[in-house]
Amino acid sequence: MPNTTFSERLWSAMERQQIKQVDLIRMAEEQGVKLGKSHMSQYVSGKTVPRAELLRFLADALNVEEAWLSGKEEAAGKEPTAQPEQPTTPTTEPEPIKNRQTGGITMREFKKSSKLDNVLYDVRGPVVDEASRMEEAGTHVLKLNIGNPAPFGFRTPDEVIYDMRQQLTECEGYSDAKGLFSARKAIMQYAQLKHIPNVSIGDVYTGNGVSELINLCMSALLDDGDEILIPAPDYPLWTACATLSGGKAVHYICDEQSEWYPDLDDMRKKINDRTKAIVIINPNNPTGALYPKEILQQIVDLAREHHLMIFSDEIYDRLVMDGEEHISIASLAPDLFCVTFSGLSKSHMIAGFRIGWMILSGNKDLAKDYIEGLNMLSNMRLCSNVPAQSIVQTALGGHQSVKDYIVPGGRIYEQREYIYKALCDIPGISVVKPKAAFYIFPRLDVQKFQITNDEKFALDLLKEKKILIVHGSGFNWKNPDHFRIVYLPRVEVLEDAAVKLADFLSHYQQR
């Protein structure tokens, strides 16, 4: 295999041995070798190559010569494609590094924290990095990877823009750490409409999107070794924030054969004395599933039995189709402590404004100390985006323009109908029809396409057809058999993408 990069040699060795990234990470853990998901993502994408001890481990695990894997056997004079990484945490006082160009002395390099070793966020990861390189070279890429409505022609309601302009001069200073009174009052009233019990204005916190609030909640809750149940597939920020906080994300399975509903038996088996909370994402990202009342009630019963908190990510609760109704799980759990998350980014097509919120409800006496921690962290960041807070009352009141999108004839509804039927017509793909949000999570026939690595599938599709999707393992799904499509583009754009995907899969065999 002459003139190959390290990543290509690594791919080749993994495929010959039928070994996936997750297998290598597990083998490393068993042998006491420090190898995280972020390391592997960088190696397979060609962004970096391993240092000596990791190279030896990979060569042994893949049953290949270290010299071959490192590229030393290739022709002399070939330019390296990546620089070897340095140890994350030096065990001794770092020595000066010789400057190869001048022979002088340079300052030591600073590497990222080892806390990031097992953090994964491939919604914006190596495949996206490759797409960026292609765009910089002048290639147009169709981005079906991010739920960002604005680039696809979804506009913020005029009334929202007008009201923000009117209030800008009143938003120059910090607000209360939890947010403006008007915003929190509107959110409290929204909680009442959702039948969420025992909510006062002091139980509402605004944030720079739900993402900031998830990070804040995990930091306030988890000590080293604490466990939290998170769905698989998940929105990967949940797992990332739990890991960064020192906790352990334990993934319970959502069952594709049952409309992607949580597997309650699997959830029950994974609860132990270190488990603190259950996370649900409803409506779900990436599957588009909507959980019925009976499923939510079973989760509440399980949390009650084991004295667990419930975190419910409901950012897509106003994007529900087919006449279905979204139910907040907190409405079923007045005796438990629940934290419910939502915001305007998706339902009001203002992702860039960064305005989300969380609502504390139920039995808050169980969480007095935790709430004190939330208040401390909330105060430390001063406040969330004040101009964005100023339009919450306007957005939540009156006519909800999103309703026009999610009924027959509306853009999101019709785009979902098209992409679902188009995917069903492609040999080797099966898919569950989503009921909410604007994502679909198709399954690939891994035997038909010989797929052992879904990230490589995403890279191959990007390079050949200029279509950017997110591979299933980017959502902490353990098998290399799924990918997520964002169906925000207009139908004619989705038609072109579906034709290209079908053509790609008509000949694709992973090598």
Side-chain angles (χ1 to χ4, degrees):
M1 188 183 292
N3 299 322
T4 58
T5 64
F6 172 79
S7 63
E8 290 171 332
R9 293 188 295 275
L10 181 61
W11 279 118
S12 176
M14 288 169 64
E15 289 173 1
R16 283 202 300 268
Q17 297 295 324
Q18 294 292 292
I19 290 177
K20 298 180 288 187
Q21 292 181 48
V22 67
D23 299 323
L24 289 170
I25 293 167
R26 186 181 64 250
M27 292 163 68
E29 185 177 1
E30 291 170 352
Q31 296 180 34
V33 176
K34 195 169 186 180
L35 178 65
K37 288 181 180 178
S38 63
H39 285 142
M40 282 304 305
S41 289
Q42 290 176 348
Y43 300 157
V44 300
S45 65
K47 292 180 69 177
T48 187
V49 299
R51 57 185 184 267
E53 58 267 38
L54 279 178
L55 183 66
R56 283 193 292 273
F57 162 75
L58 291 170
D60 289 343
L62 296 170
N63 197 28
V64 296
E65 292 293 331
E66 184 179 337
W68 175 81
L69 189 59
S70 68
K72 290 180 181 178
E73 291 183 350
E74 294 198 355
K78 183 174 180 289
E79 288 294 321
T81 57
Q83 295 298 319
E85 62 182 51
Q86 301 299 321
T88 304
T89 306
T91 55
T92 60
E93 186 68 22
E95 296 180 359
I97 303 170
K98 286 286 184 182
N99 186 307
R100 293 183 181 177
Q101 282 76 36
T102 66
I105 301 296
T106 63
M107 298 294 288
R108 66 168 175 168
E109 293 183 42
F110 293 92
K111 296 296 184 179
K112 67 179 182 291
S113 166
S114 60
K115 290 184 294 185
L116 291 169
D117 284 351
N118 293 306
V119 172
L120 172 73
Y121 193 72
D122 278 351
V123 173
R124 297 180 186 266
V127 183
V128 178
D129 293 342
E130 176 61 26
S132 297
R133 286 191 288 271
M134 291 169 63
E135 286 186 315
E136 288 169 3
T139 300
H140 173 72
V141 174
L142 174 59
K143 295 180 178 178
L144 304 180
N145 64 315
I146 295 287
N148 186 15
F152 300 106
F154 288 93
R155 312 312 312 172
T156 306
D158 290 343
E159 186 180 13
V160 169
I161 298 294
Y162 175 81
D163 282 13
M164 176 179 275
R165 285 174 174 165
Q166 293 296 105
Q167 298 177 82
L168 273 178
T169 56
E170 301 169 21
C171 299
E172 295 173 322
Y174 297 130
S175 72
D176 181 275
K178 293 181 181 179
L180 293 172
F181 177 86
S182 63
R184 289 188 291 145
K185 184 72 171 181
I187 295 163
M188 184 192 78
Q189 292 171 334
Y190 183 72
Q192 292 170 349
L193 294 175
K194 301 287 288 186
H195 307 292
I196 299 177
N198 193 22
V199 177
S200 71
I201 196 166
D203 299 317
V204 175
Y205 298 68
T206 63
N208 296 300
V210 167
S211 301
E212 180 190 42
L213 297 171
I214 291 172
N215 193 11
L216 189 150
C217 282
M218 295 297 97
S219 297
L221 178 68
L222 298 173
D223 287 319
D224 289 351
D226 285 345
E227 296 186 3
I228 182 167
L229 294 180
I230 295 175
D234 72 341
Y235 179 61
L237 185 76
W238 278 102
T239 296
C241 289
T243 303
L244 279 171
S245 299
K248 179 181 179 183
V250 177
H251 293 103
Y252 64 85
I253 298 299
C254 294
D255 185 2
E256 187 172 14
Q257 304 307 311
S258 299
E259 301 288 328
W260 285 114
Y261 297 157
D263 184 330
L264 273 296
D265 289 335
D266 188 60
M267 188 183 287
R268 184 177 291 106
K269 284 187 285 191
K270 290 173 177 173
I271 295 173
N272 59 44
D273 58 1
R274 297 305 304 268
T275 309
K276 281 194 166 182
I278 297 172
V279 173
I280 71 166
I281 304 173
N282 178 41
N284 187 265
N285 175 11
T287 66
L290 179 70
Y291 301 160
K293 184 175 181 179
E294 55 268 27
I295 293 292
L296 297 174
Q297 186 62 61
Q298 290 179 66
I299 295 172
V300 168
D301 294 342
L302 197 58
R304 182 178 293 122
E305 177 185 350
H306 294 278
H307 307 285
L308 303 176
M309 291 171 53
I310 295 175
F311 293 103
S312 186
D313 184 343
E314 301 180 0
I315 188 70
Y316 300 98
D317 67 339
R318 294 177 294 284
L319 286 163
V320 174
M321 291 172 273
D322 305 325
E324 299 278 355
E325 178 189 5
H326 175 267
I327 298 171
S328 286
I329 193 170
S331 69
L332 307 176
D335 57 323
L336 303 180
F337 179 67
C338 299
V339 184
T340 303
F341 302 83
S342 193
L344 302 180
S345 293
K346 312 300 183 179
S347 61
H348 287 71
M349 311 302 169
I350 49 176
F353 284 24
R354 308 310 299 137
I355 179 63
W357 59 78
M358 65 180 180
I359 302 166
L360 313 187
S361 68
N363 190 348
K364 285 165 279 187
D365 288 339
L366 301 173
K368 287 181 178 179
D369 194 59
Y370 175 62
I371 294 171
E372 184 179 328
L374 289 178
N375 289 335
M376 182 184 301
L377 291 175
S378 181
N379 289 332
M380 285 168 61
R381 53 93 206 234
L382 298 178
C383 69
S384 66
N385 182 326
V386 180
Q389 291 181 50
S390 74
I391 52 87
V392 171
Q393 185 177 43
T394 299
L396 288 181
H399 174 68
Q400 298 295 296
S401 60
V402 70
K403 291 183 178 180
D404 299 333
Y405 293 132
I406 57 177
V407 295
R411 273 196 60 185
I412 292 176
Y413 181 93
E414 295 299 335
Q415 288 159 195
R416 179 201 61 167
E417 292 295 290
Y418 174 79
I419 197 64
Y420 171 71
K421 292 173 183 174
L423 289 169
C424 288
D425 288 340
I426 298 176
I429 285 184
S430 59
V431 63
V432 176
K433 190 175 187 178
K435 295 180 180 177
F438 35 65
Y439 308 110
I440 194 165
F441 201 56
R443 172 193 284 269
L444 292 159
D445 184 337
V446 293
Q447 300 300 321
K448 176 180 176 65
F449 303 118
Q450 307 254 324
I451 294 174
T452 58
N453 189 301
D454 57 351
E455 185 176 58
K456 187 174 189 302
F457 165 77
L459 276 167
D460 291 342
L461 176 63
L462 172 66
K463 290 175 181 178
E464 181 174 326
K465 295 298 184 181
K466 318 302 184 290
I467 297 173
L468 178 59
I469 50 92
V470 182
H471 47 291
S473 60
F475 301 98
N476 290 292
W477 184 250
K478 64 181 180 179
N479 299 316
D481 56 0
H482 281 80
F483 63 100
R484 189 189 75 172
I485 287 178
V486 175
Y487 55 83
L488 283 169
R490 293 187 181 276
V491 167
E492 53 268 29
V493 178
L494 293 174
E495 285 179 358
D496 181 60
V499 169
K500 289 178 178 177
L501 177 61
D503 181 66
F504 177 76
L505 290 175
S506 69
H507 63 78
Y508 183 70
Q509 292 286 295
Q510 193 167 95
R511 295 182 179 84

